[in-house]
Amino acid sequence: MSAEAADREAATSSRPCTPPQTSWFEFVLEEALLEQHLQKPSPDPPPVQLIVQFLEQASKPSVNEQNQVQPPPDNKRNRILKLLALKVAAHLKWDLDVLEKSLSVPVLNMLLNELLCISKVPPGTKHVDVDLSSLPPTTAMAILLYNRWAIRTIVQSSFPVKQVKPGPPQLNVMNHIQQEKELTENILKVLKEQAADSILVLEGALKLNKDLYVHTIRTLDLLAMEPGMVNGETESSTAGLKISAEEIQCQVCYDLGAIYFQQGSTNAAVHEKAKEKFFKTKELIAKNGSSSLHFTIDEERLAGYCQACEVLTSSSDDASQQATPYSKIHSCMKSGKYQDLVKIFLEDNLTLSLPEQFRQSVLRELFQKAQQGNEALDEVCFKVCVCNTVCDVLQGRIIDIQFCQLFLKPSKEKIDFLLEVCSGSINLESASEELKRRMAAFLKNLCLGMEDLQFVFMISSHELFIKLLKDDERKLLIDQMRKRSPRINLCTKPVTSFYDIPASASVNIGQLEHQLILSVDPWRIRQILIELHGMTSERQFWTISNKWEVPNVYGSVILGIKDSLTRDLVYILMAKGLHCCAIKDFVHAKQLFAACLELVTEFSPKLRQVMLNEMLLLDIYTHEAGAGVSGERPPSDLISRVRGYLEMRVPDIPLRQVIAEECVAFLLNWCENEYLTMQVPLPLVQTNPYVKLGQLLAATCKELPGPKESRRTAKDLWEVVVQICSVSNQHKRGNDGRVSLIKHRESTLGIMYRSELLSFIKKLREPLVLTTILSLFVKLHNVREDIVNDIAAEHISIWPSSIPNLQSVDFEAVAITVKELVSYALTINANNHFWLIIQADIYFATNQYSAALHYYLQAGAVCSDFFNKMVPPDVYTDQVAILCQFLREVDYKTAFKALQEQNSHDAMDSYYEYIWDVTILEYLTYLHHKRGETDKRQIAIKAIGQTELNASNPEEVLQLAAQRRKKKFLQAMAKLYF
């Protein structure tokens, strides 16, 4: 049988399973149309897109009568399609720049392999073993084209790629993208393994001193003829498009330089080879000109490569190298002389010779080194970032987000360096008015954006600021600052030394009050107050700032101090300490509290105990924000002090409720359940609601693994929480004489208000305690009579199943509390699948099905290694498995009802491959037949015809098929949501 007859037989045998075949007449017509298309000045679609269309048609797999996928047949139809693709590339003169921009790696790989095939390169032959000089010119050129593309693709893959913003998620599109990505990665892997051979082939091509030829449309037509009709012209040295030896050398040198430069990141010696190739390319362009029939080289990019190679390689002329800013920066980065690097950037702020992109790339490299553990570079990153930011300001560019992040917590040192850079970056005598205006606006906006007035004053009193801003602008800024803090007096001129005060008493007092507000140094505060009290005895200086707040329970004691200086000092030290504590500046808070404690110890035992209590709270905060974050247990003396505070029985000591609250939460978070359950004094439980709540929580958590009889404490905790969530009902007679019922949401029936309970729970971090209280509220939510969908939770069975007086419970408040608690719990651990299921159930119960599905999928993913393992049955119960075929007993009634709905999405048939229940697939076939949807019916029939779904298969085969489809479906769904 001839080859053509075999092709016809293969086409005929596969006809029922493949799309209709195109007639030979249509192929001839298509080729004629292609010729006309390529003659147009601007064809539409572009010629390069025709390559994709032809190769996709030629590479379509076929399906035989047994529904098995077969590789594309090597028949006349497919050979003609491949030839058409090659003709389009020949029309484009095989310009790799054009082809690479428009074709994906898999398509271009297919195209060049077809070129090798039609150019008589034996398949499986290593190109490095072939003598190029002995080959026909078009064959040698085909090998060169392929190996040039190979190393260019390797180089291109090392560059960062900007991600394209995806459109609406479509499963079939996502699968196609994923397949193309995997195929590209496989091709790249092979190209990288063969990179050394490709380099040797190209190095060998540089030794060829002869012109080569590349295939044209005419030579491709000759090759496609029957063997007996070819006259040997394609084998001659004049067939095709001539590429001169100089052009070939220029192309190859440039491509070799690029691959050597890329390899230089791991082997610095290779940079010398790159430099040699790039400079050779430069010489050839200068000699022959940049115009070419076959290729173009980006001369700006080539210049950049040459400049980089000069920096990265040693030069015989050291003086010239040192004169280049790039060389200096490279030397500093290499040797670790980062202070010199900062100096170079600062000097360049005046000359502006470094491009913005280069500045940013150096900063990125410094950030990467800092993130790898070199903490000493944090300061260098900040300084370089400041230099870049001031440079951006002067050139009218937008300030980078990195500067804003680094300046979230300013310090005196940061402000000093910023002002130094600003001063060194502008010459006020020669600078234009535009530059001055930009710098003034930058400094003014810095002042307006700062909370700490001490730093504002540092900027506003600087010489540069005063010179740049006019008097009326400074006054306007001061007025704006006064509105933020009415008691502040900002000076328009720098404040002189504390010991060199001007003669005016009113200016003295204003300046000292300003310093008093800004200072957090206890010794300085004391000095200023002594000075102020020496000037006037009529003022109460603790009132000069409305930001100084002391709890009322302490205020009455402090303001009872007779000596006015001591009263001011105690009040201000405590107010500033509490403020520092609130903004988590624990270092200054400790200094202020320690100074206050030392002061009050001399005359007031009551205030001494107050300060000890506040310092205990500060130590709790410090540990929880520091070592406690990484799970390090608190020191034993801190736990002893917490217990001591709860057991304290000193009379007449003013106490803040928040300290008891934090102490109980601290003990629960560090699992001090034994103490809370067995050792805490009974009078303390009876008098302190937080201690009582903590004891019940600790006892319940302790007994969770126990038998039913041990649930007494759970019942006690339940009753306490129910009472907190109950409302007090009152009757009121209206104007019309009718009696109406009034519900008070924040009732005093319980041991604390619901808002106080919620605030306390949000201080807890221990997972078991959070799970316990969360399951209690879920159970309380579920006991209401009108509930339609229950919410599931861990340990929910330990709580009572009914409430005697349902009407007394504010279920609306309970529902709000459940939502707040699960949201808070997920901030503690976003991968707790039980908490994720609760969140999903809440969304499902409120008809927010898309959000519910998101959290159901997330819960399954985190406990099954992204569905690579079985999802535990206690996670996906029948209540959770809302997809009909996931249930232990398939819910056909719901499935059929859903399939009958007319509002299903057009892409529903793309999910048929995930259905393993044959009954559902058969119903789909019937349904599509009834609706006249032939294409969708064929897809359903194809899904049914899969051998692994055959009902005669052993049970384990059917289970495996179902499990594989379930995994693929859940993973596909998760990709749509995550």
Side-chain angles (χ1 to χ4, degrees):
M1 184 185 294
S2 67
E4 185 174 351
D7 288 342
R8 284 199 299 273
E9 182 178 341
T12 306
S13 63
S14 61
R15 192 168 294 135
C17 302
T18 55
Q21 303 294 312
T22 310
S23 69
W24 301 124
F25 172 75
E26 289 172 325
F27 270 124
V28 174
L29 179 62
E30 188 173 9
E31 190 166 1
L33 290 173
L34 173 67
E35 295 289 346
Q36 294 180 12
H37 181 88
L38 297 180
Q39 298 303 319
K40 295 179 182 179
S42 56
D44 184 27
V48 74
Q49 294 305 318
L50 294 172
I51 297 175
V52 179
Q53 295 173 18
F54 293 145
L55 290 181
E56 281 184 351
Q57 289 293 324
S59 60
K60 272 189 177 178
S62 61
V63 180
N64 61 17
E65 293 178 352
Q66 288 78 33
N67 282 339
Q68 295 176 331
V69 178
Q70 301 290 331
D74 183 21
N75 53 28
K76 191 170 183 179
R77 170 186 178 276
N78 287 345
R79 286 197 292 272
I80 290 177
L81 286 169
K82 292 174 183 176
L83 182 63
L84 291 174
L86 291 169
K87 285 185 176 183
V88 176
H91 171 75
L92 297 170
K93 299 184 174 63
W94 300 98
D95 190 333
L96 285 180
D97 285 329
V98 175
L99 295 174
E100 286 169 343
K101 284 176 184 175
S102 305
L103 299 180
S104 64
V105 170
V107 172
L108 194 46
N109 179 58
M110 194 187 310
L111 179 72
L112 292 174
N113 273 296
E114 289 301 324
L115 176 65
L116 292 172
C117 182
I118 205 167
S119 301
K120 310 287 179 62
V121 177
T125 304
K126 280 192 170 185
H127 296 172
V128 71
D129 297 333
V130 177
D131 181 9
L132 294 178
S133 60
S134 66
L135 295 176
T138 50
T139 306
M141 194 64 196
I143 291 176
L144 279 187
L145 267 174
Y146 179 85
N147 287 281
R148 280 186 58 219
W149 168 76
I151 64 171
R152 285 163 68 104
T153 304
I154 294 169
V155 171
Q156 192 63 34
S157 69
S158 67
F159 298 152
V161 179
K162 183 179 180 181
Q163 296 296 324
V164 179
K165 186 177 180 181
Q170 296 181 16
L171 195 60
N172 52 350
V173 175
M174 290 177 67
N175 286 340
H176 176 74
I177 293 171
Q178 182 63 27
Q179 288 171 5
E180 186 174 274
K181 182 181 177 184
E182 291 174 359
L183 189 57
T184 300
E185 289 173 353
N186 291 336
I187 293 171
L188 273 172
K189 183 180 177 183
V190 173
L191 294 179
K192 288 176 181 177
E193 289 172 355
Q194 299 174 353
D197 287 353
S198 293
I199 291 172
L200 287 174
V201 169
L202 296 183
E203 288 283 8
L206 293 177
K207 299 173 184 175
L208 285 176
N209 195 16
K210 66 176 184 178
D211 302 338
L212 295 180
Y213 291 80
V214 68
H215 278 301
T216 60
I217 293 176
R218 181 170 178 275
T219 59
L220 289 171
D221 278 333
L222 290 171
L223 288 170
M225 290 180 181
E226 294 294 333
M229 299 175 65
V230 178
N231 60 7
E233 184 181 351
T234 55
E235 302 293 328
S236 75
S237 60
T238 60
L241 176 67
K242 179 181 175 183
I243 311 296
S244 69
E246 289 80 7
E247 282 186 64
I248 294 169
Q249 287 210 340
C250 197
Q251 298 166 29
V252 173
C253 280
Y254 182 76
D255 293 336
L256 281 171
I259 191 71
Y260 286 145
F261 189 86
Q262 187 225 9
Q263 293 176 344
S265 60
T266 55
N267 183 2
V270 185
H271 279 137
E272 288 287 354
K273 290 185 179 180
K275 181 180 178 180
E276 176 192 340
K277 301 302 179 190
F278 284 133
F279 277 85
K280 179 67 175 176
T281 306
K282 208 170 179 181
E283 287 175 14
L284 288 168
I285 290 176
K287 178 181 176 183
N288 302 309
S290 58
S291 60
S292 167
L293 293 173
H294 179 55
F295 76 102
T296 54
I297 286 179
D298 186 342
E299 293 191 53
E300 287 187 7
R301 193 176 188 86
L302 175 62
Y305 271 131
C306 292
Q307 191 173 39
C309 288
E310 281 185 330
V311 170
L312 295 169
T313 55
S314 57
S315 172
S316 57
D317 188 344
D318 292 331
S320 64
Q321 183 181 1
Q322 289 302 317
T324 309
Y326 299 96
S327 304
K328 292 180 181 179
I329 291 171
H330 177 69
S331 175
C332 291
M333 294 287 284
K334 200 171 181 180
S335 61
K337 297 178 180 178
Y338 296 114
Q339 295 306 321
D340 292 344
L341 177 72
V342 174
K343 186 179 177 183
I344 295 169
F345 272 75
L346 184 54
E347 289 171 353
D348 189 73
N349 275 16
L350 278 173
T351 60
L352 301 176
S353 63
L354 296 174
E356 178 195 4
Q357 293 81 0
F358 179 76
R359 282 172 164 266
Q360 292 299 330
S361 68
V362 173
L363 182 58
R364 276 196 300 273
E365 186 174 343
L366 288 170
F367 271 122
Q368 288 171 0
K369 289 184 178 181
Q371 288 167 358
Q372 291 167 1
N374 192 343
E375 295 180 358
L377 283 180
D378 289 344
E379 183 184 352
V380 179
C381 289
F382 168 77
K383 290 184 174 180
V384 172
C385 183
V386 168
C387 291
N388 285 355
T389 300
V390 174
C391 179
D392 289 342
V393 167
L394 292 173
Q395 297 193 61
R397 293 192 290 263
I398 297 173
I399 294 176
D400 196 89
I401 189 65
Q402 287 174 329
F403 174 80
C404 302
Q405 291 173 336
L406 291 171
F407 234 77
L408 282 175
K409 293 184 178 179
S411 63
K412 181 179 181 300
E413 291 74 21
K414 287 182 177 181
I415 300 290
D416 282 336
F417 181 77
L418 174 64
L419 293 171
E420 178 188 344
V421 173
C422 290
S423 300
S425 302
I426 185 169
N427 187 340
L428 293 177
E429 294 180 1
S430 58
S432 66
E433 289 302 316
E434 179 63 18
L435 283 182
K436 293 178 182 178
R437 186 187 60 78
R438 289 173 181 172
M439 182 66 79
F442 171 64
L443 293 175
K444 187 168 71 172
N445 289 330
L446 267 182
C447 291
L448 291 172
M450 285 186 179
E451 293 291 334
D452 195 325
L453 295 174
Q454 182 179 2
F455 299 140
V456 173
F457 182 72
M458 284 179 65
I459 297 172
S460 64
S461 60
H462 194 271
E463 182 181 3
L464 178 65
F465 185 93
I466 294 169
K467 287 182 178 178
L468 286 173
L469 268 76
K470 299 175 183 176
D471 289 343
D472 55 343
E473 289 178 315
R474 292 203 302 274
K475 287 175 183 177
L476 181 61
L477 176 64
I478 292 165
D479 289 338
Q480 289 175 305
M481 301 304 296
R482 278 185 181 139
K483 287 176 185 176
R484 285 170 46 186
S485 186
R487 308 298 291 266
I488 303 301
N489 289 323
L490 285 176
C491 302
T492 58
K493 294 184 178 179
V495 174
T496 52
S497 167
F498 177 71
Y499 296 102
D500 185 18
I501 300 171
S504 170
S506 61
V507 173
N508 282 349
I509 294 175
Q511 290 178 345
L512 289 172
E513 285 181 348
H514 180 208
Q515 293 181 35
L516 182 62
I517 290 170
L518 299 180
S519 180
V520 287
D521 179 8
W523 181 251
R524 181 68 179 140
I525 292 169
R526 179 176 177 273
Q527 280 184 311
I528 294 171
L529 280 173
I530 292 172
E531 190 72 24
L532 286 169
H533 276 271
M535 292 180 177
T536 176
S537 59
E538 298 174 358
R539 297 283 300 276
Q540 293 181 325
F541 292 104
W542 62 269
T543 64
I544 65 171
S545 174
N546 56 5
K547 298 294 178 70
W548 291 343
E549 295 179 356
V550 166
N552 292 334
V553 70
Y554 298 159
S556 58
V557 181
I558 296 174
L559 297 180
I561 299 174
K562 294 180 180 179
D563 181 68
S564 59
L565 173 59
T566 305
R567 180 172 61 242
D568 284 344
L569 186 53
V570 172
Y571 189 99
I572 293 171
L573 289 174
M574 178 175 282
K576 282 178 175 285
L578 291 171
H579 173 71
C580 288
C581 200
I583 63 173
K584 300 188 183 329
D585 184 0
F586 301 130
V587 174
H588 284 121
K590 197 171 187 71
Q591 294 172 359
L592 291 160
F593 281 165
C596 192
L597 174 63
E598 183 181 358
L599 177 63
V600 299
T601 300
E602 300 175 0
F603 64 89
S604 176
K606 187 183 292 186
L607 284 174
R608 177 182 180 277
Q609 189 59 54
V610 165
M611 291 313 304
L612 289 173
N613 296 344
E614 290 296 330
M615 292 187 77
L616 169 62
L617 181 61
L618 174 61
D619 288 343
I620 291 174
Y621 286 154
T622 304
H623 181 268
E624 296 296 81
V629 173
S630 59
E632 182 180 333
R633 279 191 63 81
S636 55
D637 68 307
L638 181 55
I639 296 175
S640 299
R641 287 166 59 202
V642 170
R643 292 180 179 181
Y645 173 81
L646 293 175
E647 298 169 11
M648 182 177 61
R649 284 292 171 273
V650 181
D652 300 328
I653 298 295
L655 300 174
R656 282 208 296 158
Q657 190 66 50
V658 67
I659 302 180
E661 185 181 350
E662 290 287 352
C663 285
V664 174
F666 178 82
L667 293 174
L668 285 170
N669 284 333
W670 295 106
C671 301
E672 292 291 320
N673 294 340
E674 190 69 29
Y675 170 77
L676 286 170
T677 307
M678 306 296 294
Q679 299 175 29
V680 67
L682 182 60
L684 184 59
V685 177
Q686 294 170 341
T687 57
N688 192 315
Y690 292 102
V691 175
K692 181 176 183 178
L693 183 64
Q695 185 184 63
L696 292 172
L697 268 171
T700 305
C701 293
K702 188 178 173 187
E703 295 175 0
L704 269 181
K708 266 190 173 181
E709 304 81 52
S710 67
R711 296 182 182 173
R712 181 180 56 82
T713 53
K715 184 174 181 292
D716 293 342
L717 178 59
W718 168 268
E719 289 174 352
V720 166
V721 173
V722 168
Q723 205 168 25
I724 292 172
C725 294
S726 296
V727 292
S728 59
N729 297 333
Q730 292 184 4
H731 294 82
K732 179 180 180 182
R733 190 174 299 277
N735 295 332
D736 56 359
R738 289 185 296 181
V739 175
S740 60
L741 183 66
I742 301 174
K743 285 190 174 183
H744 293 275
R745 298 212 176 277
E746 286 288 337
S747 71
T748 55
L749 296 175
I751 60 173
M752 63 180 71
Y753 291 118
R754 185 184 64 86
S755 57
E756 293 175 331
L757 172 62
L758 187 60
S759 173
F760 172 72
I761 295 171
K762 288 185 178 180
K763 299 180 188 299
L764 302 175
R765 292 192 327 276
E766 170 58 31
L768 184 57
V769 180
L770 278 174
T771 298
T772 302
I773 196 69
L774 192 52
S775 69
L776 187 155
F777 272 97
V778 168
K779 183 67 175 183
L780 188 55
H781 172 274
N782 289 346
V783 298
R784 62 190 298 181
E785 294 175 342
D786 59 342
I787 197 75
V788 177
N789 296 301
D790 280 353
I791 299 174
E794 196 178 9
H795 306 308
I796 200 168
S797 60
I798 69 172
W799 310 110
S801 56
S802 62
I803 299 174
N805 187 7
L806 277 174
Q807 291 76 17
S808 66
V809 178
D810 186 354
F811 284 109
E812 184 182 339
V814 170
I816 294 171
T817 305
V818 171
K819 291 177 184 177
E820 288 195 44
L821 288 184
V822 73
S823 296
Y824 167 71
L826 288 173
T827 64
I828 301 299
N829 182 3
N831 291 326
N832 185 307
H833 54 270
F834 288 112
W835 297 348
L836 289 167
I837 288 291
I838 294 173
Q839 182 71 82
D841 283 351
I842 291 171
Y843 281 126
F844 187 78
T846 54
N847 301 327
Q848 300 179 67
Y849 301 120
S850 178
L853 185 56
H854 172 92
Y855 282 97
Y856 285 134
L857 288 169
Q858 193 173 343
V862 298
C863 64
S864 64
D865 189 19
F866 200 69
F867 303 111
N868 285 304
K869 301 174 184 174
M870 284 283 291
V871 179
D874 59 342
V875 176
Y876 279 177
T877 62
D878 282 357
Q879 286 73 29
V880 171
I882 57 174
L883 303 170
C884 303
Q885 63 174 353
F886 276 66
L887 302 176
R888 293 179 179 87
E889 295 294 332
V890 180
D891 187 357
Y892 292 113
K893 181 180 178 182
T894 304
F896 296 162
K897 181 181 177 183
L899 293 173
Q900 288 172 3
E901 293 179 0
Q902 292 296 322
N903 62 348
S904 61
H905 295 289
D906 291 339
M908 184 178 71
D909 52 300
S910 64
Y911 291 91
Y912 289 178
E913 63 178 297
Y914 303 126
I915 299 177
W916 61 86
D917 188 271
V918 177
T919 304
I920 294 178
L921 287 170
E922 288 173 344
Y923 183 79
L924 279 167
T925 306
Y926 159 75
L927 198 62
H928 290 313
H929 175 72
K930 183 179 176 183
R931 294 177 180 173
E933 298 169 343
T934 308
D935 292 344
K936 293 185 177 181
R937 179 173 175 270
Q938 287 298 324
I939 295 172
I941 290 173
K942 183 180 176 182
I944 294 175
Q946 296 174 93
T947 54
E948 55 188 352
L949 296 183
N950 193 316
S952 303
N953 286 337
E955 183 63 27
E956 57 268 20
V957 175
L958 294 173
Q959 289 292 335
L960 185 62
Q963 190 58 41
R964 186 164 67 247
R965 283 163 175 75
K966 186 184 293 186
K967 167 190 167 182
K968 288 175 67 179
F969 174 72
L970 289 171
Q971 287 179 340
M973 290 294 289
K975 286 176 183 177
L976 292 178
Y977 279 87
F978 300 162

